[in-house]
Amino acid sequence: MRIALDAHGGDVGLARNISAAIETIDDPTLEVVLVGHQLQIEVELKRRSVAAGTFEILHAEEQIGMGDAAVQSIRRKSDNSITRAMELVKDGSVDAVVSAGHSGAVVAAALMTLGRLRGVSRPGLGTKIPTREQVAFCLDIGAVIDPKPEVMLQWGYLGACYSESVLGIRNPTVALLSNGEEASKGDALTRAARELFETASFNFVGYVEGRDMLHRPPHVTVTDGFTGNIALKTAEGTASYMASIIRRELTSSLKNKLLAALLRPTFRRMREQMDFEGIGGAPLLGVNGVVIVAHGHSTAKALVNAMRNAQHAAEVQLPKLLHNALPDDTKVSADPEPLVAEVTSS
Amino acid sequence: MRIALDAHGGDVGLARNISAAIETIDDPTLEVVLVGHQLQIEVELKRRSVAAGTFEILHAEEQIGMGDAAVQSIRRKSDNSITRAMELVKDGSVDAVVSAGHSGAVVAAALMTLGRLRGVSRPGLGTKIPTREQVAFCLDIGAVIDPKPEVMLQWGYLGACYSESVLGIRNPTVALLSNGEEASKGDALTRAARELFETASFNFVGYVEGRDMLHRPPHVTVTDGFTGNIALKTAEGTASYMASIIRRELTSSLKNKLLAALLRPTFRRMREQMDFEGIGGAPLLGVNGVVIVAHGHSTAKALVNAMRNAQHAAEVQLPKLLHNALPDDTKVSADPEPLVAEVTSS
């Protein structure tokens, strides 16, 4: 499998992406194509004593900054690394794209270059959630801010298919994120979506509350991109806030420092169990290709995980499976609305 | 100050509320009126060797269960402890109500018995958020699921006034919860609210993301009840999920158990810093009286905090301040919509 890696994606940028690529060198099943500024990439590879020719490099003159406007920057900077990576997928010379760049720009570039799968109204961005008991997946986390209920129904099918084919869950449970478990709960959008979900052929189990997203989550949680983005970032923020309290308390005295040192392996295991960044990136479901958006803070390990995830999705031919998973009566033939006006930028 | 305590509120019910009331006995500034089933309350007080007559008791024959439908149960069970407590506020024989019961039922009973402050369209339920740097307050967390932007503007004024008068913050910053900081972000409702907030006389500072609600929050975060409920419960769920991981890891071996025992005071301090339950309950802002909804899981200490909070709000004459804080052009004279149809139940 050949994966295009956006060499400039993420808060750290080039160095970290190169580190991730280097970690895959010994894997004969995975070939990384580095997309970005050729000279800069070559300098960085040389600095790491990587032989010329180890990686294929596709030059892109421009880069999208994390603060750029998503759609506009993709349109204006036509020779940017994200769009160039998408073009490689489109012409079939790679099997998937991974980028830790500006997520709104990645979504916009995917929509503009690859387009949607036939029948999909609005592709959704999903992510695994770190939970103990089971693999949990949630979408949309920010690609579509004010979706229609019909769009959310499609996400139910796409999420269930992803969960089954990539995450290996048989007959995954699907729920809608809401403010309570009773059917009377939900805002107007969620209640309308629930009516559609009740008639779906996937395993719909009703509403899930924010509290249970980590404790006893359904396999797939569907929500609009506004709520999903806020829920995910609130969970991340709470986890990192708690981690900062723990860090501060455990370094507050010499005694605590010593005890903490003895507990180091334990704390490492804890961190791994609540790692929102190392879970393999966020697949964009519903575009015509395999696209994984990695977290801007991704470590090299997280980027490697995202590439493995992309490789796996490409192996099972995810886009084809997703298209087949949508029942005909949920497919749309054309969508009159502007496609990329509402994609998010973070 | 006289506070009516719903003796049957909360997951544990009578015993815990009685414990909280007992903790206030030595405080001459606070007089607790227990509202609930007289005989059951007397039996519980006797069991604790509390002298008859220590507390005034107001009998209510019925109770609202945590699983009951909010509005219907308040209507059907007319002699319930929550409504009886509200009636004490209404006739001026107590200064505030605290209930750890069914929050939707408390909101419904407050609306039906006390009514709204003149000019307030929809009262909002707020809560303090445990953060390190400063006191942060968020509303609405579930009273109004699909508010209009004008309702959210009122919450901006009510939240700022509460933050100033009860929490002691001078010129509090006010933000809208959104999926990104840029003005282009937000769902349709949040963007419409932002337009109104831009013209408000309180200190509006723009959007805040879920990630920053704990790390560097504004003093007041305003959001709709659906999103607020999900964000708050997600934060609570993440915190308790992490606590469960820590607990499991620290009891996974004899060595860890010993080290954890030595760190016990440290862990206690940590817990206090991320205590979502001990922060004094959720004030219902905009009704004609001081009403505090405590968390269903409240400990006795949390209930005492909620009563202290209620006492303080009554001392500053919160309802009057809130009414004065609303500029005339944001006040509504009548609201044609059903008031209590959309209150939540948890």
Side-chain angles (χ1 to χ4, degrees), chain A:
Chain A
M1 287 284 155
R2 281 162 58 87
I3 310 282
L5 179 64
D6 170 15
H8 301 285
D11 303 337
V12 177
L14 199 60
R16 186 155 291 171
N17 287 290
I18 299 290
S19 298
I22 289 172
E23 283 191 35
T24 68
I25 287 178
D26 294 334
D27 181 350
T29 70
L30 183 61
E31 194 180 327
V32 176
V33 178
L34 294 169
V35 184
H37 198 279
Q38 180 138 11
L39 189 63
Q40 290 177 26
I41 293 173
E42 284 173 350
V43 167
E44 183 66 26
L45 287 170
K46 199 166 179 192
R47 203 174 65 82
R48 316 288 194 93
S49 313
V50 176
T54 304
F55 296 105
E56 192 177 321
I57 300 171
L58 179 77
H59 179 69
E61 188 65 29
E62 294 172 290
Q63 296 158 26
I64 307 291
M66 291 304 245
D68 287 357
V71 179
Q72 293 88 319
S73 63
I74 290 291
R75 287 213 174 103
R76 211 168 300 140
K77 300 177 176 177
S78 58
D79 190 14
N80 75 80
S81 58
I82 298 173
T83 300
R84 286 280 173 261
M86 297 295 170
E87 287 166 357
L88 291 182
V89 175
K90 181 157 192 175
D91 69 20
S93 58
V94 303
D95 302 287
V97 169
V98 171
S99 173
H102 186 314
S103 67
V106 177
V107 173
L111 288 170
M112 290 193 261
T113 305
L114 301 174
R116 293 166 291 170
L117 287 173
R118 200 153 37 83
V120 171
S121 175
R122 289 275 190 287
L125 200 57
T127 185
K128 272 206 288 185
I129 301 172
T131 67
R132 199 159 78 214
E133 304 301 336
Q134 62 181 34
V135 180
F137 186 74
C138 174
L139 81 167
D140 173 59
I141 58 166
V144 185
I145 296 310
D146 283 300
K148 296 194 176 136
E150 292 76 15
V151 170
M152 292 172 72
L153 178 65
Q154 290 192 339
W155 292 342
Y157 284 104
L158 298 178
C161 174
Y162 181 83
S163 184
E164 197 144 9
S165 58
V166 177
L167 305 178
I169 310 294
R170 224 173 245 261
N171 193 27
T173 53
V174 179
L176 282 160
L177 184 59
S178 190
N179 59 316
E181 288 184 352
E182 306 87 338
S184 60
K185 295 301 177 72
D187 61 359
L189 171 63
T190 305
R191 288 198 309 273
R194 185 182 175 116
E195 278 190 32
L196 299 177
F197 276 57
E198 301 274 13
T199 66
S201 62
F202 52 70
N203 185 11
F204 178 56
V205 295
Y207 288 151
V208 61
E209 293 191 72
R211 192 177 313 176
D212 294 326
M213 273 181 76
L214 282 88
H215 274 291
R216 35 174 202 160
H219 294 110
V220 180
T221 298
V222 177
T223 184
D224 64 275
F226 180 76
T227 309
N229 184 283
I230 287 173
L232 183 73
K233 286 185 184 161
T234 300
E236 284 181 5
T238 307
S240 80
Y241 173 69
M242 285 186 70
S244 75
I245 291 176
I246 294 172
R247 235 186 339 266
R248 198 190 39 191
E249 288 292 340
L250 291 181
T251 54
S252 63
S253 68
L254 185 60
K255 175 191 139 200
N256 277 6
K257 276 185 199 166
L258 288 169
L259 293 171
L262 294 169
L263 282 166
R264 195 160 292 151
T266 303
F267 286 119
R268 193 181 318 120
R269 267 203 312 280
M270 283 182 206
R271 251 202 319 276
E272 280 164 11
Q273 289 175 71
M274 35 215 183
D275 182 4
F276 280 86
E277 294 159 21
I279 48 183
L284 180 61
L285 303 183
V287 290
N288 222 329
V290 174
V291 176
I292 306 275
V293 183
H295 201 291
H297 302 313
S298 289
T299 59
K301 184 187 141 208
L303 289 166
V304 172
N305 282 344
M307 287 192 279
R308 296 257 169 258
N309 201 4
Q311 180 182 14
H312 185 35
E315 275 163 4
V316 301
Q317 298 190 281
L318 181 66
K320 199 172 149 189
L321 294 180
L322 291 174
H323 177 260
N324 292 339
L326 277 186
D328 282 334
D329 60 358
T330 67
K331 285 178 183 165
V332 290
S333 54
D335 196 301
E337 294 168 74
L339 238 191
V340 292
E342 54 180 25
V343 295
T344 65
S345 67
S346 74

Side-chain angles (χ1 to χ4, degrees), chain B residues 2 9 22 29 39 43 50 58 64 68-69 75 84 102 115 117 153 156 182 191 197 251 267 275 285-286 297 317 324:
Chain B
R2 281 161 60 86
I22 289 172
T29 70
L39 188 64
V43 167
V50 176
L58 179 78
I64 308 292
D68 288 357
R75 287 216 174 101
R84 287 279 172 260
H102 187 316
L117 287 173
L153 177 64
E182 305 86 339
R191 288 198 309 274
F197 276 56
T251 53
F267 285 119
D275 181 5
L285 302 183
H297 302 313
Q317 299 190 281
N324 292 339

Side-chain angles (χ1 to χ4, degrees), chain B residues 259-308:
Chain B
L259 293 170
L262 293 169
L263 282 166
R264 196 161 293 151
T266 303
F267 285 119
R268 192 180 320 120
R269 267 203 312 279
M270 283 182 204
R271 249 201 321 277
E272 280 164 12
Q273 288 176 72
M274 36 215 183
D275 181 5
F276 281 87
E277 293 159 23
I279 49 183
L284 180 61
L285 302 183
V287 291
N288 222 329
V290 174
V291 176
I292 306 274
V293 183
H295 202 291
H297 302 313
S298 289
T299 58
K301 185 187 142 208
L303 289 166
V304 172
N305 282 343
M307 287 191 279
R308 296 258 168 256

